[in-house]
Amino acid sequence: MFNRIFFIAIIIGVPLSVIGSLMHWPAVLLFVIYCATIIALAGYMGRATESLAIIAGPRIGGLLNATFGNAVELIISIFALKAGLISVVLASLTGSVLGNLLLVGGLSFFIGGLKYKQQKFNIYDARHNAGLLIFAVVVAFVFPEVFSYKLNDADSLTLSVWVSVIMIILYVAALLFKLVTHRGVYQSEHDVAHGDETAEWSKWKALIVLALATLAVAYVSEKLVHTFEEVGRTLGWSEVFIGIIIVAIVGNAAEHASAIIMAYKNKMNVAVEIAIGSTLQIAMFVAPLLVLVSLFFEKSMALVFTLPELVAMVLAVFLTISLTSDGDTNWFEGLTLLAAYLIMGVGFYLL
Amino acid sequence: MFNRIFFIAIIIGVPLSVIGSLMHWPAVLLFVIYCATIIALAGYMGRATESLAIIAGPRIGGLLNATFGNAVELIISIFALKAGLISVVLASLTGSVLGNLLLVGGLSFFIGGLKYKQQKFNIYDARHNAGLLIFAVVVAFVFPEVFSYKLNDADSLTLSVWVSVIMIILYVAALLFKLVTHRGVYQSEHDVAHGDETAEWSKWKALIVLALATLAVAYVSEKLVHTFEEVGRTLGWSEVFIGIIIVAIVGNAAEHASAIIMAYKNKMNVAVEIAIGSTLQIAMFVAPLLVLVSLFFEKSMALVFTLPELVAMVLAVFLTISLTSDGDTNWFEGLTLLAAYLIMGVGFYLL
Amino acid sequence: MFNRIFFIAIIIGVPLSVIGSLMHWPAVLLFVIYCATIIALAGYMGRATESLAIIAGPRIGGLLNATFGNAVELIISIFALKAGLISVVLASLTGSVLGNLLLVGGLSFFIGGLKYKQQKFNIYDARHNAGLLIFAVVVAFVFPEVFSYKLNDADSLTLSVWVSVIMIILYVAALLFKLVTHRGVYQSEHDVAHGDETAEWSKWKALIVLALATLAVAYVSEKLVHTFEEVGRTLGWSEVFIGIIIVAIVGNAAEHASAIIMAYKNKMNVAVEIAIGSTLQIAMFVAPLLVLVSLFFEKSMALVFTLPELVAMVLAVFLTISLTSDGDTNWFEGLTLLAAYLIMGVGFYLL
């Protein structure tokens, strides 16, 4: 059903995006069209990546998922960086972290928990991920922020570049650990049995879909970024709110849907892996990569979030770790995460 | 023995409170009389609530305990709010959180630990409570604080109201989870066997005692609140110190005593439930309710603590969670909590 | 092999230190000679303490290790205090905490993990230590800092003195807990079997070596402290960087080496005990003792770190606890700790 809706959305959305932007339709209308089109295209990119991952086997497949899993977010952010919208990029990174941990995690636990009294997932993965969340969000994000108060802008950027390089190296090491040296050591039976699935599309079909959808996402993202200012003015939203809530939801819609479906099917390992794994990918790979990419643009981006953004992410990490450390979820834990997301949403809306 | 002392204290304390306030006795003397009377009355309210809870059965009983458990604190705070003493109210909320976690928890673990080498309690409850402590104190208290630096006063109050409503809803959901949907799922045998107890008083006796004691507490609290300023001036204490240490101890004295008695009887589940459960009640029910009540008074109260108060509560939560996460206590863990309480007491005294 | 190198280093280093300081050699050269000599002398002090500990039996032995384990750091710091270099002392305390948790812990886990797929250690000790780390670094260090913003200097020092006295009492209580009341209750078989070892040196030889080495360390430390300013100017390092990285490494070099050797021999309990136990000794004994000692000097030292120092220590504690809470390590966890150390090193270098 999703697939058909996405297909129709693309068939209609892409041409509408082109026409609308040429004819200078109102920004809010264009904004809605662009968002819907990107969500649909992201669904196709996800299916293509999934097919390629199954064909390539677990190692290369894991690598593919780890690199292309947040491609849409990356593409939108690069265009926003190019347009000099650094605070929007930082806000949308924040929004992705909050959205994955609190909204996706919360909805998965809550909806899954309405059907099942208790849902279990691999506790080793949860602990491994907890360590990485502390490293990425708490250590690597907080540190440049605290030092930025005492450093000049050039030194602050130098520190951000160092932090970014170290994070990408550690992200690669984490893949090596998970896919090579300790494959199966901590994994649950589910992940090991993952290889049984059959790919939806053939290798070439998947590659072509991936290429075309990526090109289309890039085209629409570039247009989308330029609507932020006017949409914000028209609707009374700050650019930060657009970044933190809207871009984050658009950029991650496809994953959100599949995590909740997995929770509903009681495949809690997969739901947690999507929510937390995707957060780690954003924090340890997309964010540092954007810092490095921004060095080639006019305005470079230091990894220095605003204090509310940073605090929100750190609190989300502590809450998630505290609720997932026992390897067991229920509807109330989901509701707690959603309550935290709602509080943060109100806060950023008022800002 | 406690009961007889409380009985005598009420028989003498209530008339003395009336006479003393009419005759304008020195503030410090009145302050002492009021405090002693409230402690004794609180003891009676606790016994009445307990009797009603047993008669009403575990579900309604749990609800009664969850609503009336901190009635004294709530009454004192409402009169303080009415008198415009917002910083005293915030301080006494802080003091209740610190007192319950560090002083009650610490004394229970320490005194229980002198008698027993290791004391165990339900690890599921501990984890459930840990998640809620992180949500309530770390997320819901820190967030409005951080945002208050960037918001104007009206928006800051709006955020506090939203946070308060969300917290009360989540508190009700937590009761629903504990008393209805997941009753017995995570509970230890003790809690399930709780229904065997017989009520001390009949339904009508309990209701009448509760009504009369509540009225008397309200009367004395109103008088007590108006002594703070002069007591502070006379003894060289700040109003914040009075709120954080004195009001918090007076408002929670009855619970403090019973938690320690339970620990001494090796009923560690109950002791922990009192210490942490009462903290959650303060943070997720009393504090947000006070924010909402304050909207009807001249000065409204935003949920914005001072930085030392907030940091003290967050540190207390992290220390408590770290010490209770293994479901096992000893005298040294109690001493650690008491050491933290002492450090904080000195800090707030010097402030 | 280490022993022979240390022997040669002392035979050459001590006379060179005397001659060099009399002849006013360049500061950087002297700095290197002093550092090498202290590392070698520290090795001898460690061996003497270890021999005495074995001879004296586990209780007095544990006490000896707990008091003399960081003697070198203590001596250097006292001379730095006497020279009024308070910020260097605070920096070197920070450096010891970071070095022990992240560098020693990280190298142990990483190098041990290259040889063994998974290394296990006593989970009870890990939890006991986690609670103390939260108490010492997070509660007792953060609290005076936050209050220092609102207190005048005299009150801030008073709070530091109170915190210091409470920490030392709790440190003594922790020894009582570990060595007397709960000996063997939580310990692993390794620690219980510790008594089998034979001492390297006789009691008198150990005492004489300890006395002579301590005297020599004191002499060289006093010289070392006075080179900081010129070395900093020559190499472009801030005094804080010298304190945080160099003094911390020199003061703890001997322990660093033995922790890594223990990890390589798969004696993970000992490696963790050195890394975390030494951190606790610094935080709960050396730091508060220095505060009390400083009261007799011209400039007293409040326990108020700079914000970057404090944040770095708190983050290191959270990361360490998160990675060690499962009682199991691997190369990737080691690499994560090292990555955090590197990020912090870069940050403090730029400061």
Side-chain angles (χ1 to χ4, degrees):
Chain A
M1 190 199 69
F2 269 122
N3 293 346
R4 184 167 302 173
I5 295 174
F6 282 173
F7 184 72
I8 295 169
I10 291 175
I11 289 296
I12 303 177
V14 175
L16 269 190
S17 298
V18 178
I19 298 167
S21 91
L22 288 176
M23 298 183 60
H24 298 288
W25 289 356
V28 177
L29 177 63
L30 286 175
F31 179 79
V32 173
I33 294 173
Y34 295 155
C35 287
T37 310
I38 290 177
I39 291 175
L41 287 165
Y44 269 73
M45 287 177 68
R47 283 162 70 195
T49 311
E50 195 57 36
S51 291
L52 285 174
I54 291 170
I55 293 164
R59 290 198 186 172
I60 309 290
L63 204 64
L64 272 174
N65 271 322
T67 339
F68 281 94
N70 282 290
V72 174
E73 168 104 41
L74 190 61
I75 293 168
I76 300 180
S77 297
I78 288 176
F79 282 108
L81 273 184
K82 218 179 136 196
L85 302 170
I86 287 178
S87 63
V88 175
V89 172
L90 290 170
S92 82
L93 290 168
T94 306
S96 294
V97 168
L98 299 181
N100 278 309
L101 291 181
L102 302 179
L103 183 60
V104 180
L107 281 175
S108 303
F109 294 0
F110 184 69
I111 291 176
L114 291 181
K115 201 168 159 200
Y116 303 94
K117 202 151 208 166
Q118 266 180 281
Q119 296 188 290
K120 304 215 172 273
F121 55 89
N122 186 340
I123 202 164
Y124 291 106
D125 278 354
R127 280 179 187 153
H128 176 77
N129 286 336
L132 284 177
L133 281 176
I134 297 269
F135 174 81
V137 176
V138 181
V139 175
F141 282 0
V142 170
F143 215 70
E145 169 97 12
V146 170
F147 276 68
S148 75
Y149 298 137
K150 305 223 169 182
L151 296 176
N152 60 41
D153 282 0
D155 281 350
S156 191
L157 186 62
T158 306
L159 180 57
S160 290
V161 171
W162 271 87
V163 169
S164 299
V165 171
I166 293 169
M167 282 176 98
I168 291 177
I169 292 173
L170 199 68
Y171 185 67
V172 172
L175 291 177
L176 192 70
F177 177 81
K178 218 171 171 179
L179 301 175
V180 184
T181 74
H182 283 61
R183 199 162 98 78
V185 174
Y186 294 104
Q187 256 81 345
S188 67
E189 64 282 15
H190 167 86
D191 300 331
V192 177
H194 207 69
D196 292 347
E197 294 174 283
T198 50
E200 185 188 0
W201 295 331
S202 73
K203 184 175 153 194
W204 286 106
K205 176 162 182 198
L207 280 174
I208 291 168
V209 169
L210 189 57
L212 289 178
T214 305
L215 276 179
V217 164
Y219 174 83
V220 182
S221 295
E222 206 259 322
K223 302 289 175 199
L224 173 70
V225 160
H226 291 286
T227 63
F228 289 165
E229 202 188 328
E230 207 179 320
V231 168
R233 220 182 309 118
T234 313
L235 299 183
W237 295 348
S238 65
E239 287 193 10
V240 168
F241 182 73
I242 294 180
I244 242 166
I245 305 291
I246 308 303
V247 175
I249 289 183
V250 170
N252 297 292
E255 288 148 293
H256 291 203
S258 49
I260 295 161
I261 291 168
M262 287 300 162
Y264 194 72
K265 290 182 182 166
N266 209 14
K267 295 192 177 174
M268 216 58 198
N269 272 327
V270 187
V272 170
E273 182 59 34
I274 294 175
I276 300 188
S278 183
T279 308
L280 289 172
Q281 210 176 105
I282 293 284
M284 296 185 72
F285 181 66
V286 174
L289 196 61
L290 288 171
V291 170
L292 300 183
V293 167
S294 82
L295 296 176
F296 300 99
F297 291 150
E298 215 170 316
K299 275 208 250 171
S300 296
M301 179 176 85
L303 205 54
V304 177
F305 294 89
T306 66
L307 190 65
E309 288 168 352
L310 191 69
V311 168
M313 285 191 284
V314 169
L315 299 182
V317 163
F318 279 122
L319 187 62
T320 306
I321 289 179
S322 156
L323 294 179
T324 56
S325 67
D326 54 359
D328 152 325
T329 68
N330 51 55
W331 68 264
F332 182 69
E333 294 191 348
L335 198 64
T336 308
L337 292 171
L338 292 174
Y341 188 72
L342 188 55
I343 288 177
M344 294 181 181
V346 173
F348 284 110
Y349 178 81
L350 290 171
L351 214 60
Chain B
M1 190 199 69
F2 267 123
N3 293 345
R4 184 168 303 175
I5 296 174
F6 282 173
F7 185 72
I8 296 169
I10 291 175
I11 289 297
I12 302 177
V14 175
L16 269 192
S17 297
V18 178
I19 298 167
S21 91
L22 289 175
M23 297 182 60
H24 298 287
W25 289 356
V28 176
L29 178 62
L30 285 175
F31 178 79
V32 173
I33 293 173
Y34 295 155
C35 287
T37 310
I38 290 176
I39 291 175
L41 288 165
Y44 269 73
M45 287 176 68
R47 283 161 71 196
T49 311
E50 195 57 36
S51 291
L52 286 175
I54 292 169
I55 293 165
R59 290 198 185 172
I60 309 291
L63 204 64
L64 273 173
N65 271 322
T67 339
F68 281 94
N70 282 290
V72 175
E73 168 103 40
L74 189 62
I75 294 168
I76 301 179
S77 297
I78 287 177
F79 282 108
L81 273 185
K82 218 180 135 196
L85 301 171
I86 287 177
S87 63
V88 175
V89 172
L90 290 170
S92 82
L93 289 170
T94 307
S96 294
V97 168
L98 299 180
N100 278 309
L101 292 181
L102 302 179
L103 183 60
V104 179
L107 280 175
S108 303
F109 295 179
F110 183 69
I111 292 177
L114 292 181
K115 202 168 160 201
Y116 303 93
K117 203 152 209 165
Q118 266 179 282
Q119 297 188 290
K120 303 215 172 271
F121 55 89
N122 186 339
I123 202 165
Y124 292 105
D125 278 355
R127 280 180 188 154
H128 177 76
N129 287 336
L132 284 177
L133 282 176
I134 297 268
F135 175 80
V137 177
V138 181
V139 176
F141 283 0
V142 169
F143 214 71
E145 169 97 12
V146 170
F147 276 68
S148 75
Y149 299 138
K150 305 225 169 180
L151 296 176
N152 60 39
D153 282 0
D155 281 350
S156 192
L157 186 63
T158 306
L159 180 56
S160 290
V161 171
W162 271 87
V163 169
S164 300
V165 171
I166 294 169
M167 282 176 99
I168 292 178
I169 292 172
L170 199 69
Y171 184 67
V172 172
L175 291 177
L176 192 70
F177 177 80
K178 220 173 170 178
L179 301 175
V180 183
T181 73
H182 283 61
R183 200 163 99 77
V185 175
Y186 293 103
Q187 257 81 344
S188 66
E189 65 282 15
H190 167 86
D191 299 331
V192 176
H194 208 67
D196 292 347
E197 294 175 284
T198 50
E200 185 188 359
W201 295 331
S202 72
K203 183 175 152 193
W204 286 106
K205 178 163 182 197
L207 279 175
I208 292 167
V209 170
L210 189 58
L212 289 180
T214 306
L215 275 179
V217 164
Y219 175 83
V220 184
S221 295
E222 205 260 322
K223 303 288 175 200
L224 173 69
V225 161
H226 292 285
T227 63
F228 289 165
E229 201 188 328
E230 206 178 320
V231 168
R233 220 183 309 118
T234 314
L235 300 182
W237 294 349
S238 66
E239 288 192 11
V240 168
F241 182 72
I242 293 180
I244 242 167
I245 305 292
I246 308 302
V247 176
I249 290 182
V250 170
N252 297 292
E255 288 148 293
H256 291 203
S258 50
I260 295 160
I261 290 168
M262 287 301 161
Y264 194 73
K265 288 182 183 168
N266 208 14
K267 295 190 178 176
M268 217 56 198
N269 272 328
V270 187
V272 170
E273 181 59 34
I274 295 175
I276 300 188
S278 184
T279 307
L280 289 173
Q281 211 175 105
I282 293 285
M284 296 184 72
F285 181 67
V286 175
L289 196 60
L290 288 171
V291 169
L292 299 182
V293 167
S294 82
L295 296 177
F296 300 99
F297 292 150
E298 215 171 317
K299 274 207 251 171
S300 296
M301 178 175 86
L303 205 56
V304 177
F305 295 89
T306 66
L307 190 64
E309 288 169 350
L310 191 69
V311 169
M313 286 191 284
V314 170
L315 299 181
V317 163
F318 279 121
L319 187 62
T320 305
I321 289 180
S322 156
L323 293 180
T324 56
S325 68
D326 54 358
D328 153 323
T329 69
N330 52 55
W331 68 263
F332 182 71
E333 295 190 349
L335 198 64
T336 307
L337 291 171
L338 292 174
Y341 189 71
L342 188 56
I343 288 177
M344 293 182 181
V346 173
F348 284 110
Y349 179 79
L350 290 170
L351 214 60
Chain C
M1 191 198 69
F2 268 123
N3 293 346
R4 184 167 302 172
I5 296 175
F6 282 173
F7 185 73
I8 296 169
I10 291 174
I11 289 296
I12 303 177
V14 176
L16 268 192
S17 298
V18 177
I19 298 167
S21 92
L22 289 175
M23 297 182 59
H24 297 288
W25 289 357
V28 177
L29 177 62
L30 286 174
F31 178 79
V32 172
I33 294 173
Y34 295 154
C35 287
T37 310
I38 290 177
I39 290 175
L41 287 165
Y44 269 73
M45 287 177 68
R47 282 162 69 195
T49 311
E50 195 56 35
S51 292
L52 286 174
I54 291 169
I55 293 165
R59 289 197 187 173
I60 309 290
L63 204 63
L64 272 173
N65 271 322
T67 339
F68 280 95
N70 282 290
V72 174
E73 168 103 40
L74 189 62
I75 294 168
I76 300 179
S77 296
I78 287 176
F79 282 109
L81 273 185
K82 219 180 135 195
L85 301 171
I86 287 176
S87 63
V88 175
V89 173
L90 290 170
S92 82
L93 289 169
T94 306
S96 294
V97 168
L98 299 181
N100 278 308
L101 291 181
L102 302 179
L103 183 60
V104 179
L107 281 174
S108 303
F109 295 180
F110 183 69
I111 292 176
L114 291 182
K115 203 169 159 201
Y116 303 94
K117 202 151 207 165
Q118 265 181 282
Q119 296 188 292
K120 303 213 171 273
F121 56 89
N122 186 338
I123 201 166
Y124 291 106
D125 278 355
R127 280 179 186 154
H128 176 76
N129 286 336
L132 284 177
L133 281 176
I134 297 268
F135 174 80
V137 176
V138 180
V139 176
F141 283 0
V142 169
F143 214 70
E145 169 95 12
V146 170
F147 276 68
S148 75
Y149 298 137
K150 305 225 168 180
L151 297 176
N152 60 40
D153 282 1
D155 281 350
S156 191
L157 186 62
T158 306
L159 180 57
S160 290
V161 171
W162 271 88
V163 170
S164 299
V165 171
I166 293 170
M167 281 176 99
I168 292 177
I169 292 173
L170 199 69
Y171 185 67
V172 172
L175 291 176
L176 191 71
F177 177 81
K178 219 172 171 179
L179 302 175
V180 184
T181 73
H182 283 61
R183 198 163 100 76
V185 174
Y186 295 103
Q187 257 81 344
S188 67
E189 65 282 15
H190 167 86
D191 300 330
V192 177
H194 207 68
D196 292 349
E197 293 174 283
T198 51
E200 185 189 0
W201 294 332
S202 73
K203 183 175 153 192
W204 286 107
K205 178 162 180 197
L207 279 175
I208 292 168
V209 169
L210 188 59
L212 289 180
T214 305
L215 276 179
V217 164
Y219 174 83
V220 183
S221 295
E222 205 260 321
K223 302 287 175 201
L224 173 69
V225 161
H226 291 285
T227 63
F228 289 165
E229 201 187 328
E230 207 178 320
V231 168
R233 221 182 310 118
T234 314
L235 300 182
W237 296 348
S238 65
E239 288 193 10
V240 167
F241 182 72
I242 295 180
I244 242 166
I245 305 292
I246 308 301
V247 175
I249 289 181
V250 170
N252 298 292
E255 289 149 291
H256 291 202
S258 48
I260 295 160
I261 291 167
M262 287 301 161
Y264 194 72
K265 289 183 183 167
N266 208 14
K267 295 192 178 174
M268 217 57 199
N269 272 328
V270 188
V272 170
E273 181 59 35
I274 295 175
I276 299 188
S278 185
T279 307
L280 288 173
Q281 212 176 105
I282 292 284
M284 295 185 72
F285 181 67
V286 174
L289 197 61
L290 288 171
V291 169
L292 299 182
V293 166
S294 83
L295 297 177
F296 300 98
F297 291 150
E298 215 171 317
K299 274 209 251 170
S300 296
M301 178 176 86
L303 204 56
V304 177
F305 295 89
T306 66
L307 190 65
E309 288 169 352
L310 191 69
V311 168
M313 286 190 284
V314 169
L315 299 183
V317 163
F318 278 122
L319 187 62
T320 305
I321 289 179
S322 156
L323 293 179
T324 57
S325 66
D326 54 359
D328 152 324
T329 68
N330 51 56
W331 68 264
F332 182 70
E333 295 190 349
L335 197 65
T336 307
L337 292 171
L338 292 173
Y341 189 71
L342 187 56
I343 288 177
M344 294 181 182
V346 173
F348 285 110
Y349 179 80
L350 290 172
L351 214 60

